[in-house]
Structure formats: structure tokens, C-alpha cells
Amino acid sequence: MTTTTTGTRVTKAVGTAHARVEGRDKVTGAARYAGEVPFAGLAYGWMVLSTITRGRVRSVETGAVLEMPGVLTVLHHGNAPRVDIDYVGMLGVPDPTVAVFQHDRVPHAGWPVALVVAETSEQAREAAEALVVHYEEEPHDVTFAGEHPDAYTMPGPGGPAVTGKGDLEAELAASAVVVDAEYSTPEEHHNSMEPHAATALWDGGRLEVVDSNQGTVWVANELANLFSLDPASVRVRSEHVGGGFGSKGVRAHQVAAVMAATVLSRPVRVVMTRRQLFSLAGHRSPTTQRVRLGADAEGRLRALEHSCLSRTSTVYEFIESGAGVARVMYDAPAHHTANRVVRLDVPSPTYMRAPGEAPGSFALESALDELAEKCGIDPIELRVRNEPERGPVSGLPFSTRSLPACFREGARRFGWADRDPRPGLRREGRWLLGTGTAAASFGAGAMPSTAAATAEADGTFTVRISAADIGTGARTALTLVAADALQVPTDRVRVRIGDSDFGPAMIAGGSMGTRSWAWAVTAAAEELRERLALSDGIPPEGITVRSDTTEALGALAQTERHSFGAQFAEVAVDVATGEVRVRRMLGIFAAGRIVNPLTARGQFTGGMIWGISMALHEEAVRDRNTGALYGADLAGYHVATNADVPLVEADWVDDPDPDDPVGIKGIGEIGIVGAAAAIANAVWHATGVRHRSLPIRPDRVLTAGPHA
Ligand code: MOS
């Protein structure tokens, strides 16, 4: 990257609280989401999903439906345009889940079998509900419970499938204390506030898509590949996004909308219903995990084994890499991790906030708490004693690792020092009270991005980058970053995002969005400032400078880069009713420079609240007979709501990334990591009973055995 000629960086905006720059638009309704942007001549597509779980579509009775009012066409495997899924995209080979209407096979319940397009949304829906589809049904298997004979190891987002060093059995045998426990987490869904929605149209030979996604360039490139188009002839825009959490990449709705717009030569909009999200938007696989820990009498680990089994579809291999977190957190002379997966007749799972780390940290951080109990060592002290010098698997030094500082600050603020470690001793009326803690980590990376910074003739600045603000406050964070790099007040900077025409940039994902974009914005803005210093006046079209961080990122030193955190929870448990209430939570994070404390706090607490939800509420239950979910809606799928969320506080310790121009590490996902374990550990402390299966439902509390 370029550096300023003065060598001094005047920082004013980064690190100060700033309300969202688009906040007024959002609360007044002026901000338009993908399903609301007006188009002349718009037609509406409605997806028809399979009612069987496995088999073939024998026929689609389009005749009667085509006679219904307003109906324009019915697309299905017999007549839809063909797509090409034989390419390598940003995330590797494409997900055949999105290649809809290409074959008669039904791989899971809720598979798209047709798209009905009509003049109005209501006409499309009525016709879609009237469409008769005949199937040949085949037996299915959706049962995920413990082991499965067809399970196999597979690499994934968390790295290789298997890692191993040392003699596990020998070290376990030589350990003074051993924990050997199995944990499970259920199928979970990231059902965003704004459902997936896309409008596609052809405009002068160019495909235009207005969509809700986590990366416009990503979606544009995937659509170009799928429809064999020149990438330059595809433009995707995504101005405001009401949540993504990993679910908003390329999905069936965009592909269906492009097909219909192509067939009808007019703009077509496809919006998923809330119910459809449960089979089309991806989800987090259930996991069963086994953790074996062996330690000496002082709690120093001699053996660590973490294996995770998750579930994918028959269409696409996606693995929930739960064992990945152990590769970063703790070292041991014998250290083994394995991620395995089994293919069943279910919808394809996908990335969901802290993929791998969220369920993995529940198992590992629960097991650490069990080890602390068995060793008679405070759970924080146990973790501090097991702080590794280097990455346990990579062998690389950590860029920074401030986990002990997080625990120190968290313990001080939470009041941990007064804690009696013995379980089941504190009672308040019908409630048993307990406190628990857990560690958190998430990778801190950056990916190449491009940006453009323009000095306008009126003295303002425009920054363009195809970033996505999925509710995180990224647009605002980039405004602060740009203002500092330009050394001007924030009100002179306009940041434009969500348009693939702005050039390649990282997606909002992997906790890498803001950091990757801020790097590119800083590089462009700093070079622009140099150019301005040498120019005499700004022409009417302004002066524009472009940046590309590919080279700078390639030169980064090889270190283990992670954010860390310490989670604390206090719970109250009524063992007569099984009710668990979280009373307060505190999270202290070491997660790089915090750009905007206001929105950052929301990111952290949002993740922690999701941890409450994961610990106590969320569970999608699949009916083994129908293969579909019970209650695929937000009435049947419970999430934490206001009454479940007490005082939740998040704060941070100083932990700037040493190699990042702004010091950013990324905070998108770490808030949920360890949060469920802290709550489960607090439930143990309250009751003396370990809960190794999430969620900790009232019936599980009631049937968990004698309480202390
Ligand atoms: Mo995130 S699960 O990388 O959107």
C-alpha cells in the first residue's frame, strides 16, 4: 500500500461512535430493500417447492395454471433455460443447489420444482399454490443421530479434514485427569429479517440484478458463469441488506429470476417466503462431537482430541468444521482433530455465522470447564495455563493473542473473583444461580479488494467500493476510515457500496469484509491525498484514484491471525419447571482496532444474544417420516426475543493488528463463539448437571437427573 508523504496519520473519526450514515433512511422507510425497488413492467415469480423428500418429478400440470388470471409462464425442469455448473468460482466449485429446474430429481423436501410467473405477486402465488406436480417417491434418510456408517472426512472452511500429532492413547493413559464427553448441537437456521429477493432484467444486452446479498461481485460472477455470460455484461446491485449471516450468496431465487427475465424479456422479481427460507437459504448442520482431554494434575494438557460429525445434502458437500477451533485454542503433546460429514436427504447446509466455531466452541469450551472441575482449578486459570506459544497445528507465531487480557478484564468487571466454584450452592427463591465462562476465537484475515476515491470539484469526496452492508454498519465504518485517510471530516465523505460495477472486492463474510475494504479504501484515499497535494485545482469531473490491495496482502507475514474473547454468563435455573434464564452476559474481546464503537458493540452483543438463542432456544426438528421440518416458521423455530435477553455487555481490550493499515482484525462472528458454552457452564454451576446437548430445553433440565 501507499503511505502518506508526511508520515503522520491524523486520526479523528476511527474509534469514535458514529450513528449509521443511512440510519435516517432506514428508520423512515426511505431506504429501499431488494424486494421494494420499483421497475416498470415488473412481473412476479413464485417458487413451487417439492412436497416429497426424495424421488423424481414425473410431470408438471401447467395447462390449468397457464389459464389462470395474469399467469405469464411456468418454468420447470422440462422447459427452463440450461445453466452451466462446471466451473470454479470464488468459493471453489459451484453449489448445484442453485442449478434449479435442470433435472427431474428431488433431493430433499422443499426443493424448487417450478417457478410460476404472473403480472402480480398475488396472481403468481395463487397459481403456484394451484400447480399440480406429480412425483415418483423414493425412500429417504434424514436421520442424524450420533454415528452414521456413511460418514467420511472432508476438508472445509476450518482447514484440512484431519490434523494430528503425538500419541493420543499414550498421553491419555499417562494423564492424571481425563475428560471424555460427547456433545451435540441441532440443525439451526439463519432466517434473516429481510427474506432473499432478486429482480432480474435485460437492459441493452446487459443483465441487471437488484438483489439482497453479501457480495455483488461474487453474485455477478456466479451468474455470469451459470449463464455463460461475459462477467462485464452482468451488473448486480444491493444497496441495503436486512441480514445475511452467511445465507446470502447465490441462491435459487436469483437464478430463477434470471431465467424468467430471459424467457419473458421483462423484469422479473422472485422473493422467498419466510417458510421457503427454511429449505432454500441454507442452514447450520447439526453436529455430534467428541472431545477427549488429558491433563496433568496442574491442568496442563497432555492430550486433546476433538472430532466433529456434521451433515450435508446429497447435492452439495458443505462441512460444519466444528473441530477447527481446537487447532487454534489449545496445544498438547498429543493433539488430534477431525471433521467428518455424512450425506443425507436434506437441504444443503451452508455458512452460518461462525461456521465451525459456533458449535465447535460449545463442545471444546464445555469440555475445558469439565476439566477445570475435575482438576479443581479455576476455569480461567486453566485456560491461562494452557495458552500456547504458537499455533498448535500451524506452528506459526500469533500476530497478537490477548486472550489472558480478555479474561483478566472480564473477570474484574463480571466479579469472578468472589465465585465459589462448587456447583448448586446459590439459591434465590425457586431459582438456582450459577456463573460460567468460555473462551472465543475467530480467524482475522483480509482478502484482496479494489476501491476508488474521487475528489469532487465541490470539495467533497466520493468513495466507491463493492462492499456490502448487511446490517453491520460497514458503510459507516468505511466512511470513518475514508475520512481519516483523507484527513477530512466525515460529512465531506460519501461512501457508495453494493454495486458490482465498482470492481472486485471481498464479500461481507468470514469476518473479513470491513477489514479488507478498509485496506483498499485507505490505499485509494491516501494516494488521492498525495495527488491533490500536487494538483492545482480539481476539474469538473473530479480526480479519481483507484487502489488494489492484492500485492500488499500477498506481502503479509505468515502468522496465525485471530481475534480472541472471553465470555461470561450468569443464569438462574428453576429445576421444578426446567426454566433457564440468562441474567447477564459480558463479553470482552481482543479483536483489532474498533472502527465504530457504536455499531461494533451491536455486532458483539448481537452475536452473544445469538449465543443465548443457541444455548436455550434454537432447534429445527426434522420429521424422519416426511423428511421436512416441524414448524418451518418463526413460531415453530424459537429464537431469543426481548424477554430472553437481559443485560448484555460487550467491550474490548486494545489489540490492533500489527500489519493492518488501520489495525482492524474483524468482528463479524466472534460474538457468538463461546457464548453458548459460557451459558451451559453456568447452568452446570447452578445445578451441578452438565448439559452436553443444545438447546438446554426445560424437558432436558427436568430429565437430566438429580440436581445438586
Ligand atoms: Mo459469514 S457465516 O462468513 O457470512
Side-chain angles (χ1 to χ4, degrees):
M1 59 162 284
T2 54
T3 50
T4 61
T5 44
T6 59
T8 54
R9 187 187 296 276
V10 181
T11 295
K12 294 199 184 91
V14 169
T16 61
H18 201 296
R20 284 165 205 268
V21 294
E22 79 287 3
R24 173 180 287 270
D25 283 352
K26 280 183 173 167
V27 297
T28 57
R32 282 205 161 106
Y33 289 81
E36 305 173 320
V37 178
F39 286 94
L42 185 60
Y44 296 81
W46 201 276
M47 281 189 282
V48 178
L49 308 190
S50 69
T51 53
I52 66 161
T53 289
R54 188 188 159 101
R56 306 247 167 213
V57 176
R58 212 171 58 222
S59 63
V60 182
E61 278 185 27
T62 57
V65 158
L66 286 168
E67 298 301 312
M68 290 178 70
V71 173
L72 298 165
T73 189
V74 179
L75 297 179
H76 52 83
H77 72 276
N79 64 1
R82 301 292 99 184
V83 297
D84 177 12
I85 59 160
D86 189 20
Y87 65 89
V88 177
M90 193 192 87
L91 297 177
V93 296
D95 177 355
T97 302
V98 306
V100 291
F101 318 137
Q102 301 297 295
H103 54 76
D104 62 358
R105 209 182 123 221
V106 175
H108 62 75
W111 172 259
V113 293
L115 181 80
V116 177
V117 190
E119 294 288 349
T120 71
S121 174
E122 293 77 8
Q123 289 168 336
R125 179 172 207 164
E126 188 174 7
E129 285 170 359
L131 185 71
V132 175
V133 180
H134 297 283
Y135 300 96
E136 264 170 44
E137 210 170 339
E138 297 166 13
H140 60 256
D141 179 7
V142 300
T143 304
F144 181 86
E147 269 311 311
H148 197 287
D150 298 336
Y152 59 95
T153 58
M154 181 193 151
V162 177
T163 67
K165 65 179 178 187
D167 186 335
L168 203 55
E169 300 306 330
E171 292 291 341
L172 283 168
S175 292
V177 184
V178 170
V179 169
D180 180 351
E182 287 189 4
Y183 302 86
S184 71
T185 61
E187 177 178 330
E188 296 167 351
H189 286 259
H190 36 7
N191 211 291
S192 303
M193 191 113 80
E194 180 207 15
H196 297 53
T199 305
L201 63 144
W202 287 95
D203 182 15
R206 250 195 134 193
L207 177 63
E208 293 254 2
V209 180
V210 171
D211 183 38
S212 177
N213 64 51
Q214 294 179 227
T216 50
V217 174
W218 175 29
V219 172
N221 286 342
E222 293 285 317
L223 292 175
N225 276 318
L226 283 163
F227 290 93
S228 304
L229 302 167
D230 174 3
S233 69
V234 182
R235 182 187 192 188
V236 176
R237 283 177 292 157
S238 200
E239 181 75 36
H240 299 291
V241 182
F245 312 109
S247 78
K248 282 186 177 158
V250 182
R251 300 252 146 229
H253 68 296
Q254 296 125 332
V255 178
V258 173
M259 286 176 175
T262 305
V263 168
L264 294 171
S265 297
R266 58 187 279 190
V268 177
R269 171 168 299 161
V270 179
V271 179
M272 289 189 201
T273 65
R274 177 115 354 250
R275 269 176 187 278
Q276 288 178 341
L277 258 72
F278 279 90
S279 69
L280 298 181
H283 62 272
R284 194 197 301 286
S285 163
T287 70
T288 57
Q289 303 179 59
R290 186 180 185 194
V291 180
R292 290 200 291 171
L293 302 175
D296 64 22
E298 283 74 51
R300 287 191 178 78
L301 286 167
R302 300 188 61 149
L304 183 159
E305 181 189 36
H306 189 170
S307 56
C308 178
L309 175 65
S310 62
R311 183 193 75 185
T312 192
S313 70
T314 61
V315 183
Y316 184 57
E317 278 188 316
F318 181 90
I319 190 160
E320 185 74 22
S321 307
V325 69
R327 298 169 183 175
V328 175
M329 290 307 299
Y330 309 107
D331 204 353
H335 189 288
H336 289 242
T337 66
N339 288 307
R340 293 182 310 139
V341 73
V342 60
R343 301 187 120 170
L344 297 175
D345 302 312
V346 296
S348 301
T350 192
Y351 302 90
M352 176 163 145
R353 202 176 198 175
E357 280 83 352
S361 65
F362 165 65
L364 183 63
E365 293 296 317
S366 294
L368 259 286
D369 205 66
E370 299 198 37
L371 185 66
E373 177 199 350
K374 285 195 170 181
C375 291
I377 296 172
D378 177 76
I380 294 177
E381 175 59 24
L382 179 78
R383 287 171 173 86
V384 171
R385 279 184 200 178
N386 283 291
E387 268 290 281
E389 301 255 306
R390 290 173 163 263
V393 170
S394 70
L396 296 170
F398 289 94
S399 63
T400 66
R401 181 167 171 130
S402 304
L403 182 60
C406 294
F407 273 117
R408 266 197 307 278
E409 175 64 5
R412 187 185 69 74
R413 285 174 54 166
F414 193 77
W416 189 262
D418 305 331
R419 180 184 190 256
D420 185 329
R422 291 171 298 167
L425 294 182
R426 285 142 305 272
R427 187 177 280 277
E428 187 189 286
R430 65 189 175 100
W431 300 102
L432 289 172
L433 306 183
T435 54
T437 189
S441 78
F442 199 85
M447 296 293 279
S449 295
T450 65
T454 301
E456 309 286 0
D458 66 1
T460 65
F461 296 86
T462 307
V463 171
R464 290 177 177 82
I465 183 163
S466 66
D469 191 330
I470 58 176
T472 58
R475 187 190 273 103
T476 309
L478 295 177
T479 304
L480 308 190
V481 166
D484 282 358
L486 292 162
Q487 298 191 358
V488 299
T490 52
D491 60 9
R492 279 172 64 193
V493 179
R494 192 180 313 105
V495 174
R496 297 194 47 204
I497 62 169
D499 186 337
S500 63
D501 273 2
F502 294 159
M506 179 55 182
I507 62 168
S511 297
M512 289 187 267
T514 294
R515 183 193 185 175
S516 304
W517 305 321
W519 199 318
V521 167
T522 300
E526 289 188 342
E527 198 188 323
L528 177 61
R529 215 158 53 77
E530 285 178 38
R531 284 268 293 278
L532 290 176
L534 302 172
S535 75
D536 16 284
I538 300 170
E541 72 276 14
I543 298 176
T544 295
V545 164
R546 295 182 179 284
S547 67
D548 183 342
T549 59
T550 308
E551 230 173 88
L553 287 170
L556 266 183
Q558 283 296 307
T559 57
E560 182 94 44
R561 294 173 194 278
H562 286 263
S563 294
F564 292 93
Q567 304 269 15
F568 294 83
E570 179 176 354
V571 302
V573 184
D574 181 340
V575 293
T577 64
E579 186 179 3
V580 178
R581 309 294 302 185
V582 174
R583 291 206 161 176
R584 61 188 174 113
M585 281 188 88
L586 171 69
I588 301 290
F589 300 93
R593 188 99 185 279
I594 299 304
V595 177
N596 183 0
L598 190 66
T599 48
R601 211 159 248 125
Q603 276 292 98
F604 288 129
T605 56
M608 292 164 70
I609 290 164
W610 205 337
I612 297 176
S613 207
M614 178 179 169
L616 303 180
H617 306 292
E618 291 189 41
E619 178 175 34
V621 181
R622 209 160 270 284
D623 180 335
R624 66 176 65 191
N625 294 316
T626 66
L629 294 180
Y630 290 108
D633 52 47
L634 292 181
Y637 185 82
H638 293 176
V639 297
T641 53
N642 289 7
D644 303 304
V645 179
L647 185 64
V648 177
E649 283 185 282
D651 213 337
W652 42 85
V653 298
D654 196 33
D655 176 53
D657 184 281
D659 300 314
D660 185 271
V662 190
I664 301 171
K665 274 188 170 177
I667 61 170
E669 324 202 37
I670 193 169
I672 190 176
V673 183
I679 292 165
N681 295 339
V683 170
W684 167 78
H685 189 231
T687 64
V689 175
R690 291 282 172 192
H691 285 271
R692 300 187 184 91
S693 291
L694 296 184
I696 307 173
R697 298 186 312 245
D699 63 299
R700 285 181 164 151
V701 175
L702 288 174
T703 58
H707 295 90

